Amino acid sequence: MADVLKSMTLRGLDSQLAAKLREVAEREGKSVNQTVLDALRKQFGLDKSRRFTEAHRDLDYLFGRWDEDEFMQIQQKIDSEQRIDSELWQ
């Protein structure tokens, strides 16, 4: 197993670069540390291809469209499908 460098200090970060790192980290919902690691991996061709990260939006129009009665009808249907028919298991 390869040794892992636990920490590293970067010197000479000017305020513009530091601000950009914070901006990108915040936009991507990451820490500054993770943002730097991701940038280094990408720069050196070590970034991993991500699987199953595609965001699908094809059903977004359905969210928030059911009223309480419709929700209860759907939930009752789901509940009825989850019942075990004991005659089938004897």
Side-chain angles (χ1 to χ4, degrees):
M1 179 180 226
D3 289 333
V4 175
L5 183 61
K6 297 285 183 189
S7 65
M8 178 181 283
T9 301
L10 294 175
R11 293 182 178 86
L13 286 173
D14 59 50
S15 60
Q16 184 180 15
L17 180 56
K20 188 65 173 178
L21 284 169
R22 283 191 297 273
E23 174 190 323
V24 171
E26 187 174 326
R27 181 177 63 237
E28 294 180 359
K30 299 177 184 176
S31 67
V32 172
N33 186 73
Q34 188 62 53
T35 301
V36 170
L37 289 174
D38 289 349
L40 288 170
R41 283 187 187 104
K42 184 175 183 180
Q43 174 65 31
F44 295 119
L46 300 172
D47 53 335
K48 299 176 185 175
S49 61
R50 296 178 185 243
R51 298 175 53 201
F52 312 115
T53 58
E54 183 177 346
H56 296 277
R57 303 278 183 225
D58 50 337
L59 299 177
D60 284 359
Y61 71 95
L62 292 174
F63 288 102
R65 301 283 298 248
W66 297 329
D67 61 26
E68 188 65 28
D69 290 334
E70 290 171 315
F71 172 77
M72 289 308 296
Q73 289 174 1
I74 293 167
Q75 189 61 52
Q76 288 171 354
K77 180 65 176 165
I78 291 169
D79 292 344
S80 72
E81 296 293 330
Q82 292 179 340
R83 287 195 199 118
I84 297 173
D85 187 345
S86 59
E87 290 181 20
L88 294 175
W89 295 97
Q90 291 181 2

